[in-house]
């Protein structure tokens, strides 16, 4: 029995609908528009306040590990010579001379003078010892590391599960050690305790070692976005999941980009723990899988941020295509790219409320204590604040001359292809930290700040320049002057004509 005529028409419409859906998935529909980069002062401050934290932590570990165990755990700790620290400046990643770096933080390191008088032939060098506050925070850090060993192993295991080859180079893991919250000697102290998770094997492609996955745990192959969807409601595999979006203040998305973003959020969510090799390249579905992989990597880090260079190196080992660098700039509501500390840092927006983490890892709580100790009574911070205040006053005086404001738009400022840079107007947080300009000073500068002397510099008062009138005011002033001058000339002419005019003679009739 032949099918009814209407069924053929429905079949044709169904085929056209399927072809349209397949074309939307297989082809890239991203609008080639400029997406503005709006500065977020809160996230910039979250990156900026950790300046010098890594070399500070490395110096702390070297100082306390070099002391005897009884001294490092007691209040009256011993000291080590300054020369031993200066010789390891590159290994400790110190930004400048060791003595200058140590004297920046008097609440963490104490400089002790030699007991014996120095002789001209054999001059004595000072020694450095930790303070009681530094030893106390270090003890809390050791307890936090011991209590979070299983969590650190699970995060490292998930990172290996993201790799298609289930292995990652050991130098790459060591590069990400600080962001993952692993101890400095994790190869000896952490990996041997989890033989069912990891094993170290030679790399097949290079003369180095790899950390290889031993056991793939399906219960851990659930992304952070899937965990959130399961907590808030029902969720099934390969169903659409929308990423949380948080934009900076003053950010405006074009209408066509907003329309594309709404359609992109409705695409099926493919877990980053599943392979994306079967997805069409350069498609919207592939881009959503890449965003999910980067989203999961940032969630595995305790600070929810890392350098962009780390993501680029890691992306090659995770099987991400080469164009994944542009994905970060295409989605400013998910990722924020900070340019502080002379580097580019990728921050996961949803993990922060202004400059603070919403869910703080115990290791991040310890690092915030280190940051507080570094900033407390910091040497040179008062002088820098006075210099900043004088510069702001100078800029405010120069503002009377009709100069432009601070907000400006810069296109393609090294942030990616098709990215427009724009500063916001939120002035609640400081743009410069208390010790931002220390890197700008050369290492050859032998002048060291004396902790016992306070030097002040007299600031000469700046003469105020005259306020210049605007073009409209000058035009109005000119027209008024000309009008008054014409009135005076007219009155003067009329008075002169009256004086020169002869008296009228009476004509007698």
């Amino acid at each position: 029995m032949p099918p009814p005529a209407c069924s053929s028409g429905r079949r044709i419409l169904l085929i056209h609908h399927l072809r349209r859906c397949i074309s939307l998935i297989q082809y890239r529909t991203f609008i080639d528009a400029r997406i503005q980069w709006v500065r977020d002062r809160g996230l910039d401050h979250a990156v900026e306040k950790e300046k010098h934290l890594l070399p500070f932590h490395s110096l702390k570990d070297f100082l306390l590990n070099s002391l005897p165990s009884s001294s490092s755990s007691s209040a009256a700790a011993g000291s080590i010579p300054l020369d031993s620290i200066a010789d390891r400046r590159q290994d400790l990643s110190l930004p400048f001379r060791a003595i200058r770096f140590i004297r920046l933080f008097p609440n963490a390191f104490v400089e002790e003078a030699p007991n014996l008088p120095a002789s001209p032939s054999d001059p004595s060098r000072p020694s450095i010892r930790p303070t009681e506050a530094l030893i106390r925070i270090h003890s809390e850090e050791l307890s936090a590391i011991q209590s979070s060993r299983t969590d650190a192993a699970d995060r490292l295991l998930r990172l290996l599960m993201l790799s298609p080859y289930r292995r990652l180079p050991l130098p790459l893991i060591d590069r990400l050690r600080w962001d993952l919250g692993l101890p400095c000697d994790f190869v000896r102290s952490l990996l041997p305790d989890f033989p069912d998770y990891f094993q170290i094997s030679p790399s097949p492609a290079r003369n180095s070692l790899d950390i290889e996955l031993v056991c793939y745990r399906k219960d851990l192959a659930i992304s952070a976005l899937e965990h959130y969807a399961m907590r808030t409601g029902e969720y099934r595999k390969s169903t659409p999941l929308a990423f949380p979006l948080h934009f900076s203040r003053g950010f405006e998305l074009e209408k066509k980009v907003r329309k594309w973003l709404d359609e992109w959020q409705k695409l099926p969510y493919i877990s980053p723990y599943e392979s994306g090799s079967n997805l069409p390249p350069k498609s919207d579905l592939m881009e959503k899988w890449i965003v999910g992989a980067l989203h999961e990597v940032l969630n595995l880090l305790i600070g929810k941020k890392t350098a962009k260079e780390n993501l680029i190196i890691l992306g090659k080992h995770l099987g991400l295509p080469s164009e994944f660098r542009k994905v970060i700039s295409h989605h400013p509501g998910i990722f924020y790219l900070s340019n502080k500390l002379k580097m580019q840092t990728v921050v996961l927006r949803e993990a922060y409320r202004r400059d603070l983490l919403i869910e703080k890892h115990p290791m991040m709580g310890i690092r915030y204590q280190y940051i507080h100790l570094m900033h407390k009574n910091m040497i040179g911070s008062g002088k820098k604040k006075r210099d900043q205040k004088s510069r702001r006053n100078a800029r405010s005086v120069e503002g009377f001359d009709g100069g432009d404001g601070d907000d400006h738009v810069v296109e393609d400022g090294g942030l990616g292809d098709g990215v427009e840079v724009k500063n916001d107007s939120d002035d609640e947080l400081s743009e410069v930290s208390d010790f931002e300009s220390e890197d700008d000073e050369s290492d050859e500068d032998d002048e060291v700040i004396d902790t016992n002397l306070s030097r002040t510099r007299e600031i000469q008062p700046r003469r105020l320049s005259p306020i210049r009138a605007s073009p409209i005011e000058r035009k109005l002033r000119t027209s008024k002057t000309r009008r008054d001058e014409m009135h005076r000339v007219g009155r003067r002419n009329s008075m002169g004509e009256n004086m020169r005019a002869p008296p009228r003679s009476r004509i007698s009739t």
Side-chain angles (χ1 to χ4, degrees), residues 444-460:
E444 299 177 358
D445 186 10
D446 294 331
E447 182 180 356
V448 180
I449 301 175
D450 193 351
T451 57
N452 300 323
L453 297 178
S454 60
R455 302 177 182 178
T456 58
R457 185 178 63 181
E458 183 179 359
I459 302 177
Q460 298 295 335

Side-chain angles (χ1 to χ4, degrees), residues 48 58 64 80 83 108 159 298 314 343 361 390 396 427 458 489:
E48 189 180 25
S58 301
L64 294 178
I80 63 174
D83 293 339
L159 187 62
L298 291 176
L314 181 62
M343 60 183 295
H361 193 272
S390 62
S396 63
D427 294 335
E458 183 179 359
V489 172

Side-chain angles (χ1 to χ4, degrees), residues 132-174:
E132 298 180 8
L134 185 64
I135 296 175
R136 177 184 54 81
I137 301 177
H138 177 71
S139 301
E140 296 179 3
E141 182 182 10
L142 295 179
S143 302
I145 291 175
Q146 188 66 26
S147 61
S148 61
R149 290 171 59 85
T150 305
D151 176 71
D154 290 344
R155 282 184 282 105
L156 181 57
L157 180 66
R158 289 180 179 180
L159 187 62
L160 293 174
M161 291 167 59
L162 291 175
S163 175
Y165 303 105
R166 307 293 187 256
R167 60 195 304 156
L168 289 173
L170 183 59
L172 176 60
I173 301 298
D174 187 68

